[in-house]
Amino acid sequence: MKVLVAVKRVIDYNVKIRVKPDHSDVDLTNVKMAMNPFCEIAVEEAVRLKEQGVASEIVAVTVGPKAAQEQLRTALALGADRAIHVETEARVESLAVSKLLKAVVDEEQPDLVILGKQAIDTDNNQTGQMLAALSGMPQATFASAVTLDNGELHVTREIDGGLQTVALTLPAVVTTDLRLNEPRYAKLPDIMKAKKKPLESKTPEALGVSVESGLKLLGVETPAERKGGVKVGSVDELVEKLKTEAKVL
Amino acid sequence: MSILILAEQHDGELAAGTAHVVAAARAIGGDIDVLVAGEGVDAVAQAAAGLDGVRRVRVADDAVYAHQLAEPLAALLVALADDYTHVLAASTTTGKNVLPRLAALRDVAQISDILEVVSDDTFKRPIYAGNAIATVQSSDPLKVITVRTTAFDAVADGGSAAIEPVAADVSNASSRFIGEELAQSDRPELGSAKIVISGGRGMGSGDNFKLLEGIADKLGAAIGASRAAVDAGFVPNDMQVGQTGKIVAPELYIAVGISGAIQHLAGMKDSKVIVAINKDEDAPIFQVADYGLVGDLFEILPALEQKL
């Protein structure tokens, strides 16, 4: 079966972010960018499905600026067969991304779409669900295990009280949780080979999708900082302070 | 303004988070209805009707909703949404699963995990693992919102809302529930516990988490874990506190053997009082801890249990 994997270029997860002085947004100039960690897991899962003989072709797709092609090349180095770049410099919210991905799904007709459960910049946790809704597909979010069983997709999901397993008819959308797998590193020869793999560029206009949003970002602020506390010397002192000073025991 | 809240329920009981979502709805203002969808949900509907500020409880009782699958629940919400300006749910795995599906079907944006209601169309929410707070305004005709329950105080009981059944489209051919495996615990639920004690990689093994149990029992606390402890296989992942796990804001959070990575801090830094117990005095957790104790947790934990 054909698998479509959506990836996003985001600020590297180790970077301590700065809010712009005018509070309009987070400052992304000269900041290290990388593939969103949940998207890496999505790519890895697609590659494993291909290695098991379940998937026949993997198409990686991203929506974002020119530079996001780096993340598509990473996906290609990890094992994707070809890539589609929906290029836009605009700030695209989840709903618009979902509509763009839906247009790509309509063209590519994949049997399975895998996305990360959330991007670590916007922390929305929406795109997979929205894509599933727009494409009329069932969804399995927060997946920690995916298997194909008699033409049905069986997915174990991480839910608040533990785990839940659901069966989906294909085509379907799956979003990955952290424990689904441990992504591999791209090897240098694969990185070189990835440069020759096909990467197709499209625009939102060509896909007939408006990236307008009903949401407006009014401002971004730094959260209230916690005051540095004190170090105590012993368990006795700790319990004493929690009782008399903090009054939480 | 009229608001519909998707109730959260487990095993025939209303989840505590719903009372916090009602508080967020009251901050928005307007008539508040609660939707209870499930199978055999009379007790849940009664509990929801008792929440202060609720006008009406709408009940969809059918086997198709028994496991809160996204496909039938979103279809139900789409059918009801015409009557409302806002649809809210707790930012739990159920709320996160269902509401974006509703939003897309209604062609509106969703606002995730709100911390504060500025006005009926403007909300504050965390981005970048809680390292920045965004203020967003929605011009969509329907506002679809998930609520960070720890940011709103629960409303009290004492209401007496009307309970009405709703006609529901009960077809769902695309997804099927197979089974679930829930962690068993007598302790309070992690998301709503007043005290949380969490262990990290420094615990060394799953067995050593027993050292936390005695303390948790004495304090009536829930036990959490860092991602490192979960990934190392010490404890199941539903105990994980962090950006990718649960967000908690208890009165007291005790972090044991946890370094304090950005990802973990995103899940607990709104706790009222933070205590860190770590042998590395340079661990970043000490920068947010109100009280830090540097030392060997294998000596400190038994001493602490005895002292309580």
Side-chain angles (χ1 to χ4, degrees), chain B residues 191-212:
Chain B
S192 54
K194 286 209 160 55
I195 301 179
V196 173
I197 182 162
S198 287
R201 200 196 301 272
M203 296 301 293
S205 76
D207 275 351
N208 290 335
F209 266 73
K210 291 201 182 78
L211 293 169
L212 303 181

Side-chain angles (χ1 to χ4, degrees), chain B residues 30-51:
Chain B
D31 294 328
I32 300 169
D33 287 357
V34 174
L35 172 66
V36 174
E39 188 180 23
V41 286
D42 289 350
V44 180
Q46 291 292 345
L51 293 175

Side-chain angles (χ1 to χ4, degrees), chain B residues 22-24 27 29 43 49 66-67 74 92 140 142 156 180 189 213 217 229 271:
Chain B
V22 174
H67 302 289
T92 57
D140 285 323
L142 179 71
E180 61 188 5
E189 199 222 337
E213 288 175 9
D217 288 342
S271 305

Side-chain angles (χ1 to χ4, degrees), chain B:
Chain B
M1 229 78 61
S2 52
I3 303 170
L4 182 65
I5 295 171
L6 174 64
E8 178 99 9
Q9 46 156 332
H10 303 285
D11 298 328
E13 280 183 40
L14 183 70
T18 306
H20 298 259
V21 181
V22 174
R26 293 183 73 165
I28 294 167
D31 294 328
I32 300 169
D33 287 357
V34 174
L35 172 66
V36 174
E39 188 180 23
V41 286
D42 289 350
V44 180
Q46 291 292 345
L51 293 175
D52 209 9
V54 175
R55 172 183 69 168
R56 183 164 65 143
V57 176
R58 307 184 76 178
V59 182
D61 197 327
D62 192 280
V64 76
Y65 306 118
H67 302 289
Q68 312 279 297
L69 296 180
E71 295 78 13
L73 266 186
L76 175 63
L77 284 167
V78 168
L80 299 176
D82 277 341
D83 300 344
Y84 299 95
T85 55
H86 297 69
V87 176
L88 272 58
S91 181
T92 57
T93 49
T94 304
K96 290 175 187 172
N97 192 34
V98 177
L99 256 55
R101 209 173 159 101
L102 160 70
L105 291 171
R106 294 293 303 224
D107 194 25
V108 297
Q110 185 197 276
I111 307 165
S112 297
D113 212 19
I114 61 160
L115 300 169
E116 195 183 316
V117 175
V118 179
S119 71
D120 59 32
D121 66 359
T122 306
F123 307 90
K124 291 193 179 188
R125 60 175 302 264
I127 52 175
Y128 294 88
N131 289 300
I133 307 296
T135 305
V136 292
Q137 185 173 38
S138 165
S139 57
D140 285 323
L142 179 71
K143 276 82 170 157
V144 177
I145 296 167
T146 61
V147 176
R148 179 173 291 192
T149 52
T150 55
F152 296 87
D153 291 330
V155 295
D157 287 332
S160 55
I163 298 177
E164 295 170 9
V166 290
D169 171 10
V170 295
S171 61
N172 173 37
S174 59
S175 68
R176 184 164 57 85
F177 173 83
I178 296 182
E180 61 188 5
E181 208 179 305
L182 301 180
Q184 298 300 324
S185 172
D186 298 332
R187 298 208 175 78
E189 199 222 337
L190 191 52
S192 54
K194 286 209 160 55
I195 301 179
V196 173
I197 182 162
S198 287
R201 200 196 301 272
M203 296 301 293
S205 76
D207 275 351
N208 290 335
F209 266 73
K210 291 201 182 78
L211 293 169
L212 303 181
E213 288 175 9
I215 297 171
D217 288 342
K218 284 197 169 169
L219 295 174
I223 299 183
S226 70
R227 186 182 160 198
V230 172
D231 282 349
F234 298 172
V235 290
N237 53 42
D238 54 295
M239 287 170 64
Q240 182 182 318
V241 172
Q243 183 183 18
T244 57
K246 291 201 179 67
I247 312 280
V248 300
E251 302 265 298
L252 173 61
Y253 187 89
I254 307 174
V256 184
I258 291 174
S259 65
I262 292 176
Q263 195 283 133
H264 187 74
L265 298 182
M268 45 64 80
K269 68 184 168 61
D270 295 325
S271 305
K272 189 164 158 241
V273 175
I274 297 174
V275 169
I277 298 170
N278 205 299
K279 67 180 177 197
D280 174 11
E281 63 178 311
D282 296 322
I285 190 78
F286 286 121
Q287 290 163 21
V288 300
D290 300 283
Y291 302 102
L293 184 51
V294 179
D296 184 353
L297 63 92
F298 296 102
E299 289 165 18
I300 291 171
L301 290 177
L304 179 60
E305 184 179 346
Q306 206 189 2
K307 183 82 186 163
L308 292 170

